[in-house]
């Protein structure tokens, strides 16, 4: 769900979920989002949801509204990370399930050279049973033989990742914890996790951090061949000297002085849904194949927790929508007559079965003051929530105009004018 992140100078940022088609912002407590800013008007601006897009509109405020530094004179389309300035208050728009990263931008190029080293994992290695088999196999090897240090490090890492991620609750907390574990496992200066979901196959930056300091992560250029190796083929990729790698010549990585790069898949079974990327600019901190194996193992363990967090949040969102649909269905049922009126010489009956939980079917019996009965029957284009909202608007308009006009033709003409002025042009009512 899209959100507005309100940043305050003296306290933590506030996250406001955009759960309505229209959200007003201003100093008055009557707004959906009230901001205690003396330079904000009582009703200052609004954010409007139309389909898959969100728009910002200034509502004639005294001091104006800025979006990404420009004055808002008409409705502007909001994009992820866009900054709204109202008085001294900054509001950031985010329409992704992931938190806004620290200034990180992922850029892909179309180079096709082969990475220096890769690790190929079968899909079975990225399942819970596969990991348990690997752990048990490492533990039950000949006890008489001394255990190699690298093997001990690997077991310690698996144990540490499992314990650390037990405390994680939300998906965002889990991703933040994974980044912290990456910095402990390998000598990386920057770490970024990219994710994709079922709705969009495009990778998006979910979280990006710098080691031991705050600040802008900046641009990170990743070769398209590397992404294909990791996401499509499920392989972990190592480039120990990006300065000498032809894929990065003349690119952003060269300018930033990046020398070593690791990229490993984040997935469960055959489903790769993300990438863990790490890089380092220091020549004495070049990554090795041991680092690649460590990060690959970390990602394999962490991916199971990430997938569980994703599924949990998706289930919670489905349950929330189901509850809202149930409430909407109950409200809509109240718009329809509880029983048909009794009129001598007539037998009236009405019933509606929506295609979904709610819909756009409409019928009504309206008793007028002159003793006459108005029978209304209508159908709103479309189905679901959008049709139900228009149906409620139609219900109110018909009731209002049926009482104020003596002629049915005049009442219908007034309802038609109202609908033409208030509903989108691609919607209609019969």
């Amino acid at each position: 769900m899209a959100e507005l992140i309100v940043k305050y100078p003296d306290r933590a940022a506030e996250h406001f979920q955009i759960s309505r088609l229209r959200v007003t912002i201003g100093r008055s407590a009557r707004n959906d989002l009230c901001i205690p800013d003396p330079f904000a008007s009582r009703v200052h601006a609004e954010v409007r949801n139309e389909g898959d897009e969100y728009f910002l509109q200034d509502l004639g405020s005294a001091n104006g509204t800025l979006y990404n530094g420009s004055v808002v004179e008409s409705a502007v389309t909001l994009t992820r990370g866009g900054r709204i300035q109202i008085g001294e208050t900054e509001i950031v728009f985010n329409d992704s399930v992931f938190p806004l990263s620290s200034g990180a931008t992922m850029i892909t190029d179309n180079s096709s050279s082969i990475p220096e080293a890769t690790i190929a994992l079968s899909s079975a290695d990225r399942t819970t049973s596969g990991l348990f088999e690997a752990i048990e196999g490492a533990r039950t090897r000949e006890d008489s033989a001394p255990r190699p240090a690298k093997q001990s490090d690997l077991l310690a890492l698996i144990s540490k990742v499992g314990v650390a991620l037990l405390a994680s609750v939300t998906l965002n907390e889990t991703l933040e914890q994974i980044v912290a574990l990456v910095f402990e496992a390998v000598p990386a200066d920057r770490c970024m996790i990219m994710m994709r979901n079922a709705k969009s196959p495009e990778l998006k930056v979910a979280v990006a951090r710098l080691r031991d300091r705050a600040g802008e992560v900046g641009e990170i250029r990743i070769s398209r061949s590397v992404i294909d190796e990791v996401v499509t083929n499920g392989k972990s990729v190592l480039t120990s000297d990006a300065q000498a790698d032809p894929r990065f010549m003349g690119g952003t990585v060269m300018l930033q002085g990046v020398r070593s790069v690791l990229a490993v898949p984040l997935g469960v079974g055959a489903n790769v849904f993300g990438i863990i990327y790490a890089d380092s600019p220091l020549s004495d901190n070049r990554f090795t194949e041991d680092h690649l194996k460590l990060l690959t193992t970390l990602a394999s363990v962490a991916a199971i927790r990430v997938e569980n967090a994703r599924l949990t949040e998706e289930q919670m969102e489905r349950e929330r929508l189901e509850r809202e649909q149930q409430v909407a269905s109950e409200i809509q049922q109240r718009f329809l007559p509880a029983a048909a009126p009794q009129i001598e010489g007539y037998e009236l009956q009405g019933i509606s079965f929506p295609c979904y939980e709610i819909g756009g079917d409409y019928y009504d019996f309206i008793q007028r003051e002159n003793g006459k009965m108005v029978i209304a029957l209508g159908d709103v284009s479309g189905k679901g929530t959008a049709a139900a909202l228009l149906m409620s608007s139609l219900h109110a308009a018909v009731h209002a105009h049926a009482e104020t006009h003596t002629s049915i033709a005049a009442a219908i003409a007034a309802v038609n004018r109202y609908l033409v002025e208030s509903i989108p042009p691609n919607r209609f009512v019969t």
Side-chain angles (χ1 to χ4, degrees), residues 95-249:
D95 62 350
S96 171
V97 296
F98 305 120
L100 292 171
S101 55
S102 300
T105 303
M106 181 186 70
I107 300 175
T108 59
D109 60 44
N110 294 318
S111 58
S112 58
S113 58
I114 303 301
E116 174 185 326
T118 64
I119 293 178
L121 292 176
S122 68
S123 59
D125 293 331
R126 288 195 297 271
T127 62
T128 307
S129 58
L131 284 172
F132 282 158
E133 288 175 7
I135 294 169
E136 190 61 27
R139 284 177 175 169
T140 56
R141 288 182 186 178
E142 300 179 44
D143 294 333
S144 57
R147 179 176 290 170
K150 291 177 183 176
Q151 184 181 329
S152 298
D153 291 344
L154 199 59
L155 285 172
L157 175 66
I158 294 173
S159 176
K160 190 169 187 178
V161 172
V163 171
L165 293 180
L166 282 177
S168 301
V169 179
T170 67
L171 176 59
N172 293 339
E173 289 174 349
T174 300
L175 296 177
E176 290 282 359
Q177 188 65 54
I178 291 172
V179 170
L181 290 167
V182 169
F183 286 134
E184 291 187 29
V186 298
D189 185 65
R190 299 186 304 181
C191 179
M192 176 173 70
I193 297 178
M194 291 159 283
M195 301 275 287
R196 63 181 181 180
N197 54 42
K199 294 181 180 179
S200 173
E202 180 184 355
L203 287 167
K204 292 185 178 181
V205 179
V207 61
R209 294 291 179 264
L210 299 170
R211 176 188 288 272
D212 298 331
R213 67 184 188 278
E216 297 288 323
V217 174
E219 292 182 345
I220 299 177
R221 185 178 296 272
I222 301 180
S223 166
R224 173 57 60 184
S225 62
V226 168
I227 291 179
D228 289 341
E229 281 289 299
V230 177
V231 177
T232 306
N233 301 327
K235 294 182 179 180
S236 300
V237 172
L238 162 68
T239 298
S240 64
D241 193 351
Q243 298 288 335
D245 194 319
R247 291 170 299 162
F248 301 116
M249 290 296 184

Side-chain angles (χ1 to χ4, degrees), residues 262-311:
L262 291 172
V264 302
L266 197 60
V268 177
N271 176 30
V272 177
F273 49 76
I275 294 177
I276 298 179
Y277 168 94
D279 64 29
S280 174
L282 304 177
S283 58
D284 55 350
N285 277 348
R286 290 187 185 181
F287 299 134
T288 65
E289 289 194 38
D290 289 335
H291 292 137
L292 186 62
K293 292 175 182 177
L294 276 174
L295 194 57
T296 301
T297 303
L298 187 155
S300 298
V301 179
I304 298 173
R305 182 65 184 87
V306 171
E307 182 69 356
N308 288 340
R310 277 161 50 104
L311 294 175

